Amino acid sequence: MKTISALFVDSKGCYADLPGVDVWDASRDARRYAGPNPVVAHPPCSRWCRLAGLVEARWGHRRGEDGGCFAAAIDAVRRYGGVLEHPAYSDAWAAFGLNRPPTGGGWVNADFFGGWTCYVEQSRYGHLAKKATWLYAFGVDLPPMRWGHVHDAKSKAPVSWCGNHVSSGDIRPRLGKAAAAATPHEFRDVLIAMARTSVCQTP
């Protein structure tokens, strides 16, 4: 079994204690990762997501200033192979010159380096909220995903901390930040399997 490194994850989260998975949590500082394993990267998104502008206006935390986390994550993916996960419509895509993937599904070319990107909703893998997601993959096999945007069905829960607007009488439970950020095990397994197909050579 090829070992993969999970970057920017919780040491007690869904990647913990898995065979063949090297966990890089905050205490290890994934920005310092120097190989040699292919990676699954979940860099922090709060400075890049749709609420980043509101956060900047209210509290002064400037958009895109994440301490170099996204830059380190995409560099690791390109060096060692693997996949990076971020919220759909992340400003990091434009900041790093990546093409936006279509919501209709399919892997599309992301950049001049040979990376690929796609849109997928984690609700299709067991998340209670829709959790629209963009992936960036490099040097790995590109599996078919459960594509597309569900236009005719609601997610089982909205995310309270994102300020979802719901219709009157909507009784769906609201997810807190921790539950919303969690990665479904089935989706995690897809990302790990992708990383294990890396053909990148260790520098």
Side-chain angles (χ1 to χ4, degrees):
M1 178 188 297
K2 181 183 289 187
T3 298
I4 69 102
S5 293
L7 309 184
F8 302 99
V9 299
D10 186 344
S11 62
K12 297 180 180 179
C14 68
Y15 290 91
D17 302 320
L18 291 179
V21 177
D22 174 37
V23 171
W24 284 69
D25 63 355
S27 68
R28 294 185 73 183
D29 191 354
R31 293 173 297 180
R32 300 171 59 188
Y33 182 73
N37 306 319
V39 305
V40 175
H42 295 273
C45 63
S46 60
R47 300 293 176 264
W48 298 105
C49 70
R50 283 176 154 180
L51 292 180
L54 176 63
V55 170
E56 181 176 348
R58 285 190 176 181
W59 294 287
H61 302 302
R62 298 193 62 180
R63 190 184 318 223
E65 290 189 353
D66 68 349
C69 291
F70 191 92
I74 198 168
D75 180 67
V77 170
R78 288 169 175 163
R79 284 179 181 270
Y80 309 109
V83 58
L84 180 156
E85 177 268 346
H86 232 224
Y89 314 106
S90 166
D91 287 339
W93 256 239
F96 285 81
L98 305 178
N99 295 325
R100 291 167 56 113
T103 57
W107 292 96
V108 297
N109 183 264
D111 55 28
F112 293 112
F113 294 92
W116 296 84
T117 186
C118 75
Y119 170 99
V120 63
E121 293 173 2
Q122 293 188 40
S123 59
R124 295 179 178 267
Y125 293 86
H127 202 286
L128 289 177
K130 181 170 72 172
K131 200 171 182 183
T133 299
W134 283 352
L135 299 179
Y136 175 83
F138 187 91
V140 296
D141 292 346
L142 303 174
M145 307 292 285
R146 295 171 188 166
W147 300 120
H149 176 67
V150 181
H151 294 282
D152 58 353
K154 289 183 177 180
S155 62
K156 296 177 183 177
V159 179
S160 60
W161 60 279
C162 280
N164 290 269
H165 296 288
V166 297
S167 58
S168 177
D170 192 318
I171 60 173
R172 289 178 295 163
R174 286 183 173 269
L175 297 183
K177 189 170 184 178
T183 299
H185 288 191
E186 188 178 4
F187 192 61
R188 171 206 66 193
D189 292 345
V190 170
L191 302 184
I192 290 174
M194 287 178 62
R196 286 196 169 126
T197 68
S198 171
V199 296
C200 295
Q201 297 296 313
T202 303

